[in-house]
């Protein structure tokens, strides 16, 4: 059973939370970042990009130390205040499509992660793990929770609905037209009820944040060896939501060339694996698993996996991202390393095939493929079997803002 505990979050004052909250640093364009940094002195981007103050790019350990300095300044100035008692934090997001996501921000156990009670489905990159571990070690805090999921729980739904009857501590809308709400839960009986509900679950699953969780585990190992580990370094911050609240989108694949083939040769080779329908100028998007859309030379195609290829030995082989790699990208287009091949690009979101069309029409890529999104059950099956997905297999929502709840390691 997973061990989920409350923690003393460092949080913005109510009047400044909307100004502080930011997306992940790398999701902003350079011009967007500059506009926010120039015009909003409270943006969390000032903490994660401390060199901007000196008009200088700073990296590595020097940057991490400045990040900590900016963070401490925000605390000293009363912009951030730490809760006096441990709490859970019920968090709700309503997006522009009126979809609601409700979950609990809490501290999850690193030992549970190590013992596979918190299960993963993606491989992590060692260099990125080490970089983020050093970032955590020097800055001493994490501002982005790992997204965990679990089967729907009637008990948790009742608890969250009762909490949300009260006035929210935070309520703000972003320029993306997403509205965010937060309710701290300090009541001991409610805290115990939340913990009891999680304790009945056999496992939790990482939906998003594999590098954040793995880096926290590396930090735990480092601090344990130096005998400086405290209770807070035994856990990492997580946003835990029921499966029905996840929204899973697919990443499209775009390839810069046809591996020396012409259009007709490619179609002939694909025909042995797929039933192919030429839809001409009509926009095509897959409507079920084992269907793929393709945009090639100004035309859309629908590819349906032939029956003889629908026999699978494990959950990973049943995943469309793996099928496309095994049957098309590797053998036909010679993409042997999808993590590093510069010929391969990705698009994400609901309108990813429109992006594919635009880039292929501009000559940036020769062909693009759209996939049907993976299901939550597929992710769980792959995790349960100890397997890992190809890179960019899922784009998962919700996405939280940075700087709303901060978890201090020491």
């Amino acid at each position: 059973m997973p061990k989920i505990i409350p923690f003393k979050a460092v949080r913005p004052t109510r009047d400044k939370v909307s100004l502080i909250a930011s997306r992940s640093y790398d999701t902003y364009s350079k011009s967007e970042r500059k506009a926010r940094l120039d015009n909003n002195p409270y943006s969390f981007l000032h903490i994660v990009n401390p060199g901007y103050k000196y008009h200088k790019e700073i990296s590595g350990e020097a940057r991490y130390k400045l990040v900590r300095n900016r963070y401490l300044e925000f605390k000293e100035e009363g912009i951030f205040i730490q809760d006096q008692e441990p709490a859970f934090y019920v968090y709700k997001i309503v997006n522009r499509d009126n979809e609601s996501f409700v979950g609990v921000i809490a501290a999850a156990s690193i030992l549970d992660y190590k013992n596979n009670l918190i299960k993963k489905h993606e491989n992590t990159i060692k260099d990125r793990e080490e970089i983020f571990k050093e970032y955590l070690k020097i800055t001493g805090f994490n501002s982005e929770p790992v997204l965990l999921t679990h089967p729907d729980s009637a008990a948790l739904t009742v608890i969250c609905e009762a909490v949300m009857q009260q006035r929210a501590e935070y309520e703000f809308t972003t320029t993306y037209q997403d509205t965010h709400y937060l309710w701290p839960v300090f009541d001991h009986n409610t805290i115990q009820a939340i913990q009891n509900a999680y304790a009945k679950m056999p496992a939790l699953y990482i939906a998003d944040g594999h590098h954040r969780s793995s880096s926290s585990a590396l930090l735990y190992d480092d601090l344990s060896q130096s005998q400086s580990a405290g209770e807070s370094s035994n856990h990492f911050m997580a946003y835990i939501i029921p499966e029905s609240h996840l929204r899973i989108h697919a990443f499209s694949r775009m390839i810069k060339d046809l591996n020396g083939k012409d259009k007709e040769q490619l179609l002939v080779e694909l025909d042995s694996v797929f039933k192919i329908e030429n839809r001409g100028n009509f926009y095509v998007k897959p409507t079920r698993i084992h269907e793929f859309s393709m945009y090639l030379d100004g035309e859309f195609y629908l590819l349906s996996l032939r029956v003889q290829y629908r026999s699978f030995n494990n959950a990973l082989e049943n995943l469309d991202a793996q099928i496309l790699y095994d049957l098309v990208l590797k053998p036909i287009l010679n993409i042997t390393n999808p993590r590093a091949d510069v010929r391969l690009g990705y698009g994400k979101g609901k309108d990813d095939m429109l992006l594919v069309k635009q880039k292929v029409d501009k000559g940036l890529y020769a062909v693009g493929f759209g996939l049907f999104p993976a299901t939550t059950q597929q992710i769980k099956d792959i995790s349960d079997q100890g397997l890992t997905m190809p890179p960019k297999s899922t784009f998962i929502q919700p996405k939280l803002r940075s700087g709303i709840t901060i978890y201090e390691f020491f």
Side-chain angles (χ1 to χ4, degrees):
M1 57 182 70
K3 182 183 179 184
I4 302 299
I5 66 170
F7 69 101
K8 298 178 183 178
V10 176
R11 302 188 285 114
T13 55
R14 188 203 298 252
D15 62 315
K16 294 184 176 65
V17 63
S18 63
L19 297 171
I20 288 169
S22 70
R23 306 198 310 270
S24 296
Y25 180 82
D26 58 3
T27 65
Y28 291 97
S29 68
K30 187 175 181 179
S31 61
E32 285 178 319
R33 282 197 298 268
K34 184 178 186 304
R36 281 160 174 77
L37 289 163
D38 284 345
N39 299 303
N40 180 3
Y42 299 109
S43 172
F44 197 75
L45 292 175
H46 283 287
I47 293 177
V48 296
N49 186 21
Y52 193 79
K53 179 179 181 180
Y54 304 109
H55 308 287
K56 184 177 180 180
E57 289 290 335
I58 303 173
S59 60
E61 184 175 332
R63 173 175 170 258
Y64 306 158
K65 288 179 178 178
L66 283 180
V67 167
R68 180 158 181 80
N69 289 347
R70 294 291 89 74
Y71 171 65
L72 292 176
E73 287 172 6
F74 271 50
K75 289 183 71 175
E76 291 162 3
E77 293 168 6
I79 299 168
F80 283 140
I81 299 174
Q82 185 166 31
D83 287 325
Q84 296 299 305
E85 298 293 331
F88 287 127
Y89 302 88
V90 173
Y91 201 94
K92 178 180 179 180
I93 304 172
V94 181
N95 68 16
R96 69 177 75 187
D97 298 321
N98 206 33
E99 296 173 313
S100 293
F101 311 91
V102 177
V104 176
I105 297 176
S109 167
I110 287 174
L111 288 179
D112 284 349
Y113 172 81
K114 286 175 168 287
N115 294 326
N116 207 35
L117 292 176
I118 297 175
K119 300 188 177 186
K120 60 184 180 180
H121 64 263
E122 285 185 7
N123 280 324
T124 50
I125 300 170
K126 188 65 176 176
D127 287 349
R128 286 185 62 191
E129 287 181 331
E130 289 289 344
I131 288 170
F132 194 57
K133 181 204 71 174
E134 288 304 310
Y135 175 89
L136 296 175
K137 194 171 186 177
I138 293 172
T139 64
F141 70 88
N142 190 6
S143 61
E144 287 188 60
V146 174
L147 183 63
L148 302 180
T149 191
H150 57 81
D152 285 25
S153 163
L156 278 171
T157 298
V158 169
I159 294 168
C160 289
E161 287 179 348
V163 169
M164 291 188 296
Q165 293 303 309
Q166 308 301 315
R167 180 192 179 193
E169 174 69 11
Y170 298 153
E171 179 180 353
F172 65 95
T173 300
T174 70
T175 54
Y176 267 31
Q177 301 175 41
D178 299 336
T179 303
H180 296 244
Y181 307 83
L182 178 139
W183 293 263
V185 178
F186 297 105
D187 177 72
H188 293 292
N189 291 332
T190 307
I191 286 174
Q192 188 62 58
I194 292 172
Q195 288 181 303
N196 290 342
Y198 287 125
K200 294 177 181 177
M201 299 175 185
L204 297 172
Y205 295 83
I206 299 176
D208 190 24
H210 286 79
H211 283 90
R212 274 166 275 158
S213 50
S214 61
S215 299
S216 297
L218 287 178
L219 177 62
Y220 167 85
D221 292 340
D222 274 11
L223 296 177
S224 297
Q225 290 172 8
S226 65
Q227 298 183 335
S228 60
E231 177 64 20
S232 59
S233 62
N234 297 340
H235 297 80
F236 59 87
M237 184 168 61
Y239 180 41
I240 314 170
I241 67 173
E243 293 172 5
S244 63
H245 288 219
L246 279 183
R247 298 294 179 270
I248 305 174
H249 303 287
F251 280 89
S252 58
R253 272 76 170 137
M254 296 172 285
I255 300 87
K256 290 187 176 181
D257 60 70
L258 302 184
N259 190 31
K261 309 174 194 302
D262 60 24
K263 173 182 175 180
E264 288 70 26
Q265 286 175 302
L266 177 63
L267 290 171
V268 167
E269 292 190 41
L270 290 174
D271 190 80
S272 65
V273 181
F274 302 99
K275 177 184 175 183
I276 302 175
E277 298 177 41
N278 186 333
R279 298 289 183 86
N281 293 324
F282 290 97
Y283 177 86
V284 173
K285 193 169 185 178
T287 58
R288 58 179 66 89
I289 63 169
H290 308 333
E291 272 189 359
F292 303 83
S293 54
M294 181 175 72
Y295 187 72
L296 172 67
D297 192 29
E299 295 181 309
F300 284 101
Y301 297 82
L302 181 66
L303 312 180
S304 301
L305 188 65
R306 293 192 181 278
V307 174
Q308 61 265 36
Y309 289 96
R310 299 193 181 207
S311 178
F312 309 107
N313 296 313
N314 56 52
L316 181 59
E317 291 181 2
N318 187 44
L319 184 73
D320 282 348
Q322 188 67 38
I323 290 170
L324 188 68
Y325 174 72
D326 287 339
L327 299 180
V328 179
L329 299 186
K330 184 178 181 180
I332 298 178
L333 296 173
N334 195 33
I335 302 292
T336 58
N337 184 354
R339 292 187 179 277
D341 198 317
V342 296
R343 297 168 55 230
L344 178 63
Y346 299 93
K348 67 177 183 290
K350 296 178 180 179
D351 300 321
D352 57 337
M353 284 306 293
L354 292 178
L355 173 68
V356 167
K357 181 182 186 303
Q358 291 170 1
K359 293 199 171 186
V360 171
D361 287 346
K362 289 180 180 179
L364 300 175
Y365 293 92
V367 64
F369 297 92
L371 289 73
F372 189 76
T375 66
T376 304
Q377 190 60 51
Q378 284 181 304
I379 293 174
K380 290 170 60 179
D381 290 344
I382 288 169
S383 300
D384 289 342
Q385 293 177 24
L387 303 169
T388 53
M389 294 181 174
K392 303 291 187 183
S393 291
T394 57
F395 176 76
I396 294 179
Q397 293 177 308
K399 301 289 185 187
L400 270 71
R401 296 280 166 140
S402 297
I404 298 174
T405 57
I406 297 173
Y407 184 85
E408 292 190 339
F409 288 95
F410 36 78

